[in-house]
Amino acid sequence: MQTLNLLLEQLSTAYLGGIPVDRVATVVAVLMSYGMAHLFRLIPAKHPYTKHMFSILATAFLFGAVQEQTVGLTHLTAGSLGLYLIMLALESSHLMPYVVFVVAMLHMSYSQIRRQLSESSGQVVFDYTGAQMIFVIKVTSLAFCISDGKKNVGELSEYQKRNAIEGVPSLTEYLGYVFFFPGFAVGPAFEMATYRRMICFEGTPFVWSRLNIKAYKTLLVGLFWMVVYVLYANEYTFKYMVTPSFAQMGFVHKAVYLCLSGMVTRAAYYTAWKMSEGACALAGLGYDGIDENGELRWTDISNVHIMSVEFGSSIKELIDSWNIGTNTWLRHHVYLRIATPGKGSSFKATVLTFLVSAWWHGFYPGYYLTFFLGSLASNAARTMRRTLHRPVVEAAAVHGPLVKRAYDVAGWMLSMYTLDFVAVPFMVLEFMPSLQAWQNNYFVLPIGLVLVHVLFNVVRIGRFIPTNNSHDAKRCGGGKISLKQS
């Protein structure tokens, strides 16, 4: 495919601002998967073997030939076969999913370390580790779902009941799931049960027309963000924050540049995730029948809810709406497998889930700076909301909705600045340059987190904020009255 590679280089140089050719190849591969999705759904549901084989061969072509990731394809094929043998050999053991989990993660760690050591320039170049991260989510999820299929129904959560698998699937079905072509390179990740529903349903013209609309609307969203990225990727970048020229800017200019750089950086993720999501929807992934109103029922396969990320008024809303497939995996196949049922939040489970998330992402120091500061920021945001939300709602009931709107706008501004500040090391990658970028932004967030801790946990400023509950308590002689927070 040297001719294609040359054409992509010329396209990037002439029209795309010199975007690395591997990223251009990824976009081309995803776009080609739309045409393949139309062919895929022509295969009747009574021929599942043919559908599985089509998916496997399509991925071999798109990832191996178009994206020129033959080494990665070989690694993932060998890894998938090895893990399949482990599932068969340990199917009756309760340890099977944990063995699969550790082996898959260690294989990915080898790939990530090998990649990191080979990058002398320090600039991340797309390779097969991105696809391997999706692969690990899918194969470890499958292992846990097979284990769930052997348990009593009473032991399972609703999510586990819906996705439990009875026995190890056939090799062809397993490979069709793992190598599902529209989402192989960049996601989304999904459960085997979702894949099986897609394979088994026979669409009507009405259903396919609705899926076409959904798929191509999603593609347009991805293309919009691709234009944003192409236009501004060279102008707004986190790595510029390490430079002396950035250090000379004023605070407001730096803050605006930081937030614009964050949006442009997210645009690259929006492009890949939304374009891939549209191709998956076009193939029928996520379709779950028609409801009583004649509307399509849909299993949400989206990896991001863009409006909630860009306009969310809290850190929690931003986190819940970003990289949803990974968050779902961490919650249902890591955290809830460790936490003690019925005992609420578990500190041990939270810490171990954080470590697994960091391990899954890789070994650049910047990743760990991002996760460490992000966890502190998330806790601080919860503390502030717990203290301020109720008084604000009560004040809005007395003084009008403008109070709550001002609170939401302030929450949005703080959340976006926090998100972008936290994300700097994730893109800069190296330890000292990341600290330099934070220093050039005056360490605003770490200092702010210290102030939040002092004000809300040491001084306990909430004691001095009047609420209806405090007034009621005084009228009742100091007794406590429990009021549900809105």
Side-chain angles (χ1 to χ4, degrees):
M1 301 296 287
Q2 293 298 320
T3 302
L4 176 60
N5 191 271
L6 180 61
L7 290 173
L8 294 180
E9 287 182 0
Q10 294 173 346
L11 176 65
S12 175
T13 302
Y15 302 106
L16 302 178
I19 292 176
V21 69
D22 48 7
R23 295 189 181 183
V24 180
T26 301
V27 171
V28 170
V30 173
L31 288 173
M32 292 177 69
S33 70
Y34 277 76
M36 292 182 171
H38 280 287
L39 296 176
F40 174 81
R41 68 193 203 184
L42 292 176
I43 303 171
K46 63 182 179 182
H47 297 303
Y49 175 84
T50 306
K51 285 194 167 187
H52 301 320
M53 289 304 302
F54 182 98
S55 185
I56 296 166
L57 295 175
T59 290
F61 171 73
L62 294 173
F63 196 69
V66 177
Q67 296 181 251
E68 297 187 337
Q69 295 293 337
T70 52
V71 173
L73 188 63
T74 302
H75 259 282
L76 296 181
T77 301
S80 61
L81 293 174
L83 292 168
Y84 184 75
L85 291 176
I86 292 175
M87 291 182 195
L88 287 175
L90 301 179
E91 181 180 1
S92 59
S93 171
H94 71 281
L95 295 176
M96 182 270 288
Y98 300 97
V99 174
V100 169
F101 190 97
V102 171
V103 172
M105 291 289 285
L106 288 175
H107 182 203
M108 183 175 65
S109 296
Y110 163 78
S111 300
Q112 290 172 328
I113 293 172
R114 179 171 172 267
R115 167 205 184 193
Q116 189 170 336
L117 292 175
S118 69
E119 291 176 350
S120 58
S121 66
Q123 181 180 358
V124 175
V125 175
F126 177 85
D127 66 353
Y128 69 89
T129 55
Q132 191 168 14
M133 293 167 77
I134 305 300
F135 165 84
V136 166
I137 291 178
K138 291 168 75 173
V139 75
T140 55
S141 298
L142 174 60
F144 278 111
C145 289
I146 292 171
S147 180
D148 290 339
K150 299 183 179 302
K151 297 177 181 177
N152 295 325
V153 175
E155 301 177 43
L156 305 178
S157 67
E158 289 302 316
Y159 183 91
Q160 291 167 347
K161 292 175 186 176
R162 189 166 64 251
N163 293 291
I165 301 295
E166 294 184 4
V168 178
S170 70
L171 179 60
T172 308
E173 183 183 29
Y174 166 77
L175 292 176
Y177 164 67
V178 170
F179 288 91
F180 183 58
F181 66 97
F184 180 76
V186 297
F190 49 89
E191 302 284 7
M192 170 65 87
T194 303
Y195 177 77
R196 282 182 168 178
R197 284 194 294 271
M198 176 199 64
I199 292 293
C200 294
F201 95 90
E202 197 79 67
T204 64
F206 168 77
V207 169
W208 288 129
S209 66
R210 299 300 295 273
L211 290 178
N212 289 345
I213 294 171
K214 180 179 180 63
Y216 285 106
K217 284 175 65 176
T218 305
L219 173 61
L220 289 176
V221 173
L223 291 175
F224 167 80
W225 286 103
M226 182 178 72
V227 171
V228 171
Y229 182 76
V230 169
L231 291 177
Y232 299 107
N234 294 327
E235 188 172 350
Y236 296 99
T237 169
F238 284 133
K239 292 186 178 181
Y240 178 68
M241 298 177 194
V242 182
T243 65
S245 56
F246 178 81
Q248 295 173 4
M249 294 180 183
F251 172 75
V252 175
H253 192 180
K254 287 179 178 179
V256 172
Y257 186 91
L258 171 67
C259 292
L260 288 175
S261 297
M263 185 184 70
V264 172
T265 298
R266 290 191 296 276
Y269 290 89
Y270 296 158
T271 298
W273 286 343
K274 282 299 175 183
M275 291 176 67
S276 179
E277 177 190 334
C280 288
L282 193 63
L285 187 71
Y287 172 73
D288 196 23
I290 299 176
D291 63 20
E292 60 276 6
N293 298 318
E295 297 295 326
L296 268 61
R297 282 202 309 268
W298 197 258
T299 299
D300 188 9
I301 59 172
S302 177
N303 213 26
V304 63
H305 295 152
I306 296 176
M307 296 301 290
S308 295
V309 172
E310 295 299 326
F311 298 102
S313 60
S314 69
I315 292 292
K316 182 181 185 304
E317 185 176 359
L318 269 59
I319 292 174
D320 290 346
S321 303
W322 175 264
N323 208 356
I324 297 170
T326 303
N327 288 336
T328 300
W329 172 65
L330 289 171
R331 174 171 176 77
H332 292 286
H333 298 301
V334 179
Y335 179 84
L336 292 177
R337 307 284 176 175
I338 303 170
T340 304
K343 291 196 174 181
S345 179
S346 164
F347 177 76
K348 179 185 76 171
T350 300
V351 171
L352 289 176
T353 302
F354 166 81
L355 292 175
V356 168
S357 178
W359 182 15
W360 179 79
H361 278 89
F363 301 96
Y364 282 104
Y367 294 163
Y368 294 83
L369 287 174
T370 288
F371 288 126
F372 175 71
L373 188 63
S375 64
L376 296 180
S378 181
N379 287 331
R382 278 198 298 269
T383 299
M384 293 176 65
R385 179 176 175 81
R386 202 162 42 234
T387 304
L388 299 176
H389 182 77
R390 176 173 179 155
V392 168
V393 171
E394 292 176 351
V398 175
H399 302 290
L402 188 61
V403 175
K404 181 64 165 59
R405 288 175 190 156
Y407 172 80
D408 289 338
V409 170
W412 169 71
M413 294 177 68
L414 284 173
S415 297
M416 293 308 299
Y417 186 86
T418 298
L419 172 68
D420 294 327
F421 193 102
V422 165
V424 171
F426 197 90
M427 303 308 297
V428 174
L429 298 177
E430 301 301 334
F431 184 78
M432 291 309 298
S434 296
L435 292 184
Q436 182 64 53
W438 278 354
Q439 179 182 337
N440 288 344
N441 283 285
Y442 310 110
F443 289 112
V444 169
L445 185 59
I447 293 172
L449 295 179
V450 172
L451 290 176
V452 168
H453 177 73
V454 171
L455 289 174
F456 288 84
N457 295 325
V458 179
V459 177
R460 300 181 69 84
I461 194 174
R463 295 177 300 168
F464 306 107
I465 302 175
T467 64
N468 289 342
N469 187 52
S470 62
H471 295 321
D472 291 342
K474 290 178 181 178
R475 287 197 300 268
C476 296
K480 292 184 178 179
I481 297 177
S482 175
L483 295 176
K484 185 178 180 181
Q485 178 176 311
S486 58

